[in-house]
């Protein structure tokens, strides 16, 4: 009986902590994030990254890097400068839990070029297969970003930033790859990852997440 009561108590505490994180994230998003990244991380424009479904650890790292000045962006450095670690973690939990989207691809031929590069690389110019780090389906890992469904323009912009060393974090490996990519390869890769669609279980609606009794 005592074990049951203890388990219920821990479950209730965990639910309360989750609910508190959710409300904290929503408040910050409404104030700082929603205009560019959307209420659920869908992004209001292709120049901004989609955050929905992005990996938790990666989101935490990027937000801390923006806050601490390791990753340079006039807008993001300003937006994150006052965020506490627990606020960053709440935002990462919120966005990583949202369903990721993907783009409809019309140019199937160019999509196939990007798919080839993503899966096999280019042995003639020394470009490794992207899937070796970002995974077969572009889901990344705990510490590497999900690419599947990301906006094409944002991906292309970041590849250019890595190649030109404008991107000020995570540049060591990515520079050695991106600076070898041609414009055609960048555009093809960006198109391909934007269209990767992964069938994932639908997240429960907030109304269905009821507090344990």
């Amino acid at each position: 009986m005592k074990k049951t009561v203890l388990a219920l108590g821990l479950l209730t505490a965990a639910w309360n902590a989750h609910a508190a994180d959710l409300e904290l994230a929503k408040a910050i998003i409404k104030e700082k994030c929603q205009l560019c990244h959307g209420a659920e991380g869908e992004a209001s424009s292709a120049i901004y990254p989609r955050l929905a479904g992005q990996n938790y650890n990666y989101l935490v790292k990027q937000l801390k890097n923006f806050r601490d000045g390791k990753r340079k962006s006039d807008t993001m450095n300003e937006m994150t400068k006052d965020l506490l670690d627990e606020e960053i973690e709440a935002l990462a939990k919120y966005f990583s839990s949202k369903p990721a989207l993907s783009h409809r691809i019309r140019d199937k031929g160019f999509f196939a070029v990007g798919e080839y590069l993503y899966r096999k690389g280019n042995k003639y110019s020394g470009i490794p297969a992207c899937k070796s780090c970002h995974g077969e389906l572009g889901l990344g890992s705990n510490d590497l970003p999900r690419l599947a469904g990301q906006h094409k323009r944002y991906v292309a912009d970041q590849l250019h930033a890595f190649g030109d060393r404008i991107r000020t974090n995570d540049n060591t490996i990515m520079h050695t790859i991106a600076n070898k990519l041609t414009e055609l390869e960048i555009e093809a890769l960006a198109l391909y990852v934007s269209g990767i669609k992964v069938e994932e279980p639908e997240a429960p609606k907030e109304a269905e997440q009821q507090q344990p009794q």
Side-chain angles (χ1 to χ4, degrees), residues 105 107-119 188 191-192:
I105 304 300
D107 190 339
K108 302 298 184 181
F110 204 39
F111 179 86
V113 173
E115 182 177 20
Y116 182 92
L117 290 167
Y118 185 88
R119 295 182 180 279
L191 177 69
Y192 173 67

Side-chain angles (χ1 to χ4, degrees), residues 189-203:
L189 280 169
L191 177 69
Y192 173 67
V193 298
S194 75
I196 298 176
K197 185 174 179 59
V198 182
E199 296 297 333
E200 297 173 289
E202 185 177 348

Side-chain angles (χ1 to χ4, degrees), residues 84-152:
L84 303 174
D85 283 356
E86 54 265 35
E87 293 174 324
I88 285 175
E89 290 160 9
L91 286 170
K93 286 179 184 177
Y94 178 86
F95 285 125
S96 65
S97 71
K98 294 302 176 182
L101 305 174
S102 65
H103 293 272
R104 180 181 298 176
I105 304 300
R106 293 182 173 84
D107 190 339
K108 302 298 184 181
F110 204 39
F111 179 86
V113 173
E115 182 177 20
Y116 182 92
L117 290 167
Y118 185 88
R119 295 182 180 279
K120 297 183 179 295
N122 183 346
K123 65 180 181 180
Y124 302 105
S125 57
I127 298 169
C130 307
K131 73 172 187 178
S132 61
C133 290
H134 293 283
E136 190 77 26
L137 297 175
L139 300 180
S141 66
N142 286 338
D143 300 312
L144 293 176
R146 175 192 178 112
L147 301 180
Q150 188 56 267
H151 284 313
K152 173 180 177 290

Side-chain angles (χ1 to χ4, degrees), residues 34-38 41-51 103 150-154 157:
Q34 185 169 327
L35 181 63
C36 296
H37 295 289
E42 69 276 17
S44 60
S45 166
I47 66 172
Y48 306 120
R50 280 179 166 169
L51 303 181
H103 293 272
Q150 188 56 267
H151 284 313
K152 173 180 177 290
R153 178 171 173 185
Y154 180 77
D157 286 347

Side-chain angles (χ1 to χ4, degrees), residues 51 53-66 71 85 88-97 139-146 167 169-170:
L51 303 181
Q54 187 54 269
N55 299 323
Y56 170 82
N57 285 357
Y58 183 76
L59 285 172
V60 169
K61 179 180 185 293
Q62 297 308 310
L63 286 170
K64 287 184 177 180
N65 281 181
F66 279 128
R71 183 173 173 182
D85 283 356
I88 285 175
E89 290 160 9
L91 286 170
K93 286 179 184 177
Y94 178 86
F95 285 125
S96 65
S97 71
L139 300 180
S141 66
N142 286 338
D143 300 312
L144 293 176
R146 175 192 178 112
R167 174 79 179 255
N169 74 339
D170 301 333

